[in-house]
DNA sequence: ATAGGGTTAG
């Protein structure tokens, strides 16, 4: 970069008309690469519409250089490498390769089509022949680096900018700011922003987005406030960035104010702004507000559809109970259908969200269809779509296909690796999980705290206490990751599983974090299953002080007190449940067969004399012969029955499984979703049923996935079963 | 022609 020519900044046509034209290049381009013959061949491979547009320009006819711009833009839109080369050849032939603006746009086009080498050589040739880059030119080149995340070239150009003392220029500073933001360097982005002498609304917007994109949303909001304080009027782009930040922060209150502001400054009908507000409402559970906005949009864009789908997907995890979560998922699939019929084509955002919806619905058939669609449209090569596919297969109980999808990915991010490690762990395949973790480290991907949750739970399931503690140590000392509650939960769970209740308790006492209700629940469930009641009662008192919000936690306690005959505690817990308004428990299960959803409540009357009930009774009889003993959990009963001591009706998943067995072919997997956690009795029963029927039975409850096969469950039989 | 809305792991 040492011998680069000087630079003129500003609107060059006004400042210095001469520099607008590049001097005639001595060696303009590598002509053998862009010979007419070559360009004709490339021309032949263009799409029909493209060829027609191109022929309008005419062969050797003298045309406006600006006529190339829409064609180059189309090359960007269709990612047509042959198109750019063809047009480049044409430009060389007509002599427009002296036009600074056109050549700059050509650099941009090459870069956006992924041909950084060509982009670089055109840019270099421009400089070599004495062309003067302007602030605009440099902005475009920086933007090209940004779209390719080519931080190295970006830094070289930054060096050039520093050399000619151009960092103060807003056009350049804005472009640098977004480049560094895209390349995940927030400090550098802020630095670039601060060096701008006269910051404009674009500069402010760029730095606000940079904060949002790099995990510092709170700072983004502060910068926005500062911007308003300095009297800079935001525009619609600023508002979308700020709204996106409100979305991440779940800051509905701020978002609502920004909504008002957008109406006040006349951006209320901007599509991007509307989409952002709609998504914000969806993500915060304000479905009707979101729907109102959606219905008011005259031209629905793909982003609108995607926001609706993603918003509903989000609702499946925010919903208060499993049943409404399920219906949000169904609604998301319906919106996806409407999108498909609307004539717009889904993109990578659509597919990622829809695959997530299939995951939460355990909808394998729909997931397979979406898989086929991603393959056909080419979006499967996107790393996020690929990762979503891995998760879909995992959550539908198909670890083999999850693993296949992972292996077939051409690039993998930290999230891809973590997903696959977690998938193995969730399927009880601890060795594979740990091997993959080592592979990930070997290829130089740095694990984060979520990766370690997967690693620790893999160790926990396999009872690998020493390894778990070693990985825990590695996390803290080698990777400098502070443990969070999930890590403690894995380790407590591990001690409990291996029967070391008091080690688990010691570990809880040793930690710096205050144990939450989840940690105490694991310990209490362990105490119950191992008959360590005194410790259980102690832990229960600690737990009750936290006034748990999860009704299942109370049912765990109720079961413990009931089986110990501690009636005073039973009524105490029941009173607390009424006080905390968590006394409603909705045990629902549902199963989807041939695109129809069947819902089951525990022991519903209508099922008592039905074929389902008969099947279930028959299974119970045969299960008893294999040593299964009914273990009554008296607390979770039909909500209509008050009597806790009454013999419970069948829990809903037993009915759903029986129904599934009756209505599917003999080899088919049974996939059931349950709104609350499985109890120990049902868990034992389904294990035996998997032997009796030689079926794979998958039950996804509110806490985890259970895949039953040949008498075993992938969850490894523990994990706080009520 | 430099700033934007929607996506994946616990």
């Amino acid at each position: 970069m040492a011998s680069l020519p000087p630079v003129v900044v500003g609107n060059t046509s006004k400042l210095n008309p001469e520099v607008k034209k590049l001097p005639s290049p001595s060696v303009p381009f590598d002509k053998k690469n862009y010979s007419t013959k070559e360009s004709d061949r490339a021309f032949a491979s263009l799409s029909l519409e493209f060829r027609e547009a191109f022929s309008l320009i005419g062969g050797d006819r003298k045309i406006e250089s600006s006529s190339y711009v829409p064609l180059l833009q189309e090359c960007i839109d269709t990612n047509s490498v042959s198109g750019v080369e063809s047009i480049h050849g044409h430009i060389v032939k007509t002599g427009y390769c002296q036009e600074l603006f056109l050549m700059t746009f050509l650099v941009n086009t090459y870069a956006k089509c992924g041909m950084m080498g060509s982009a670089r050589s055109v840019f270099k040739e421009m400089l070599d022949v004495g062309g003067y880059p302007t602030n605009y030119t440099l902005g475009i080149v920086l933007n090209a680096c940004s779209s390719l995340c080519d931080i190295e070239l970006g830094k070289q150009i930054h060096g050039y900018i520093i050399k000619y003392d151009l960092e103060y220029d807003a056009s350049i500073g804005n472009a640098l700011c977004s480049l560094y933001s895209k390349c995940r360097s927030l400090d550098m982005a802020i630095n670039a922003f601060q060096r701008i002498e006269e910051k404009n609304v674009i500069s402010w917007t760029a730095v606000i987005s940079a904060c949002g994109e790099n995990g510092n949303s709170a700072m983004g909001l502060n910068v926005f406030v500062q911007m308003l304080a300095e009297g800079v009027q935001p525009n619609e782009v600023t508002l979308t960035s700020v709204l996106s930040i409100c979305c991440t922060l779940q800051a509905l209150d701020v978002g609502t104010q920004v909504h008002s502001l957008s109406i006040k400054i006349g951006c209320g009908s901007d599509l991007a702004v509307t989409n952002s507000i709609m998504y914000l409402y969806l993500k915060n559970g304000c479905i009707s507000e979101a729907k109102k906005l959606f219905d008011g949009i005259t031209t629905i864009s793909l982003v609108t559809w995607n926001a609706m789908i993603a918003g509903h997907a989000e609702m499946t995890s925010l919903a208060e109970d499993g049943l409404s979560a399920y219906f949000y998922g169904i609604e998301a699939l319906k919106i996806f259908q409407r999108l498909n019929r609307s004539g717009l084509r889904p993109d990578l955002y659509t597919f990622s969200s829809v695959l997530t919806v299939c995951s939460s619905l355990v909808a394998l058939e729909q997931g397979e269809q979406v898989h086929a669609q991603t393959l056909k449209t080419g979006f499967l090569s996107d790393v996020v779509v690929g990762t979503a596919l891995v998760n879909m297969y995992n959550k539908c109980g198909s670890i083999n296909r999850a693993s296949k999808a992972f292996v077939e990915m051409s690039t993998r991010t930290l999230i891809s690796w973590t997903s696959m490690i977690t998938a193995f762990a969730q399927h009880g395949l601890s060795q594979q999980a740990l091997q993959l973790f080592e592979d990930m480290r070997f290829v130089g991907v740095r694990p984060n705290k979520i990766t370690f949750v997967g690693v620790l739970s893999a160790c926990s399931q396999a009872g690998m206490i020493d390894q778990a503690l070693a990985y825990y140590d590695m996390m803290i000392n080698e990777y400098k990751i502070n443990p969070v509650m999930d890590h403690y939960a894995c380790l407590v769970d591990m001690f409990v599983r291996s029967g070391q209740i008091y080690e688990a308790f010691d570990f809880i006492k040793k930690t710096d974090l205050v144990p939450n209700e989840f940690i105490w629940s694991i310990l209490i469930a362990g105490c119950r299953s191992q008959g360590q009641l005194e410790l259980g009662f102690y832990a229960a008192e600690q737990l009750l002080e936290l006034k748990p919000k999860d009704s299942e936690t109370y049912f765990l306690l109720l079961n413990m007190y009931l089986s110990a005959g501690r009636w005073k505690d039973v009524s105490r817990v029941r009173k607390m449940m009424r006080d905390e308004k968590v006394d409603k428990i909705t045990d629902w299960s549902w199963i989807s067969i041939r695109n129809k959803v069947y819902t089951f409540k525990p022991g519903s009357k209508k099922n008592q004399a039905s074929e389902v009930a008969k099947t279930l009774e028959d299974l119970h009889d045969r299960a008893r012969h294999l040593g299964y003993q009914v273990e009554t959990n008296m607390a979770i009963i039909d909500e209509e029955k008050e009597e806790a001591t009454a013999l419970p009706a069948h829990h809903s998943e037993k009915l759903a499984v029986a129904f599934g067995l009756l209505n599917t072919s003999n080899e088919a997997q049974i996939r059931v979703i349950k709104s609350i956690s499985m109890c120990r009795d049902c868990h034992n029963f389904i294990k035996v049923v998997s032997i009796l029927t030689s079926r794979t039975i998958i039950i996804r409850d509110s806490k985890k996935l259970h895949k039953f096969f040949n008498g075993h469950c992938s969850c490894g039989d523990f994990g706080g079963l009520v």
Side-chain angles (χ1 to χ4, degrees), chain A residues 8-304:
Chain A
V8 176
V9 179
N11 186 331
T12 53
S13 59
K14 277 185 198 149
L15 285 172
N16 183 353
E18 273 77 37
V19 297
K20 201 183 174 194
K21 295 245 175 186
L22 287 168
S24 200
S26 46
V27 192
F29 299 100
D30 189 352
K31 285 206 169 157
K32 72 176 187 297
N33 280 344
Y34 299 107
S35 67
T36 309
K37 209 174 148 195
E38 185 82 18
S39 72
D40 283 351
R41 214 165 50 217
F43 183 66
S45 68
L46 297 179
S47 73
L48 189 60
E49 300 95 303
F50 209 172
R51 237 180 350 231
E52 276 169 10
F54 202 82
S55 65
L56 286 179
I57 289 186
D60 295 327
R61 202 148 43 82
K62 199 69 183 165
I63 46 146
E64 289 293 312
S65 66
S66 58
S67 307
Y68 288 107
V69 172
L71 288 177
L72 288 170
Q73 185 59 50
E74 190 172 340
C75 294
I76 295 172
D77 295 343
T78 58
N79 197 28
S80 168
V81 170
S82 58
V84 201
E85 288 177 337
S86 161
I87 293 166
H88 187 174
H90 203 275
I91 292 171
V92 172
K93 218 163 67 177
T94 51
Y96 278 124
C97 47
Q98 293 181 28
E99 291 269 353
L100 175 62
F101 165 75
L102 187 57
M103 297 323 286
T104 309
F105 202 89
L106 187 62
V107 172
N108 181 35
T109 311
Y110 268 127
K112 288 208 169 126
C113 292
M115 302 193 66
M116 210 56 214
S118 304
R120 197 191 287 242
S121 59
V122 174
F123 180 58
K124 192 173 175 299
E125 281 163 23
M126 284 169 66
L127 296 179
D128 284 349
V129 298
Y132 301 128
T134 68
N135 52 351
Y136 283 139
T137 327
L138 289 167
I140 290 175
V141 177
L142 287 170
N143 185 40
C145 299
S146 172
S147 13
L148 287 168
C149 294
D150 190 337
I151 186 71
E152 285 316 311
L153 184 58
K155 280 183 177 165
Q156 282 182 39
I157 294 165
H158 192 174
Y160 180 86
I161 288 164
I162 291 171
K163 187 176 166 188
Y164 291 102
D165 194 22
L166 297 164
E167 281 182 306
Y168 73 91
D169 178 77
S171 302
I172 289 176
N174 297 348
L176 278 174
C177 181
S178 56
L179 168 74
Y180 285 121
S181 169
K182 182 77 187 295
C183 297
R184 318 239 60 99
S185 178
L186 182 55
D187 288 348
M188 302 274 277
I190 291 173
N191 211 289
F193 168 76
Q194 283 169 340
R195 286 169 195 271
I196 301 170
E197 213 165 73
E198 287 177 37
K199 301 169 181 66
N200 58 26
V201 61
I202 299 176
S203 323
W204 286 97
T205 307
V207 76
I208 290 169
S209 314
C211 294
E213 284 162 11
N214 289 282
N216 205 333
S217 299
M219 191 198 285
L221 274 193
N222 286 334
V223 176
F224 178 58
V225 172
Q226 202 183 324
M227 170 186 172
L228 296 177
E230 294 196 11
V232 183
Q233 165 104 339
N235 63 17
E236 62 279 3
V237 183
T238 323
L239 295 178
T240 50
S241 302
V242 173
L243 285 163
S244 157
I245 284 174
C246 294
C247 218
T248 337
L249 291 174
Q250 302 266 327
L252 183 61
D253 47 346
V254 184
T256 316
Q257 291 179 50
V258 178
H259 187 183
S260 312
L261 181 65
S262 72
I263 295 166
K264 202 172 130 192
I265 64 175
C267 299
S269 55
D270 181 85
L271 184 55
V273 172
T274 311
N275 286 338
S276 302
I277 297 168
M278 189 186 80
Y279 189 57
L280 176 79
Y281 283 138
L282 275 176
K283 288 257 278 195
N284 286 280
C286 311
I287 295 275
S288 58
E289 289 289 333
K291 259 192 124 90
K292 216 184 288 170
L293 284 168
F294 179 80
D295 293 336
I297 299 173
T298 43
T299 335
I300 296 172
S301 70
L302 183 56
V303 177
T304 316

Side-chain angles (χ1 to χ4, degrees), chain A residues 108 136 153 195 245-246 260 310 324 327 349 359 386 388 433 450 456 460 550-552 580 583 630 638:
Chain A
N108 181 35
Y136 283 139
L153 184 58
R195 286 169 195 271
I245 284 174
C246 294
S260 312
S324 46
F327 286 114
Y349 290 96
S359 307
I450 302 172
L456 293 179
S460 160
D550 181 5
S551 55
E552 288 186 45
E580 298 294 317
D583 52 336
V630 182
D638 189 333

Side-chain angles (χ1 to χ4, degrees), chain A residues 336-369:
Chain A
F336 177 55
Q337 274 179 357
R338 286 171 63 194
L339 156 61
N340 275 320
R341 283 197 298 260
S342 78
L344 287 170
R345 303 257 53 92
D347 68 358
L348 69 168
Y349 290 96
T350 328
F351 288 128
S352 315
S353 296
V354 170
L355 285 168
T356 307
V357 172
C358 295
S359 307
S360 46
L361 294 177
V362 198
L364 183 62
E365 283 85 5
Q366 284 91 337
E368 283 169 336
Q369 285 171 25

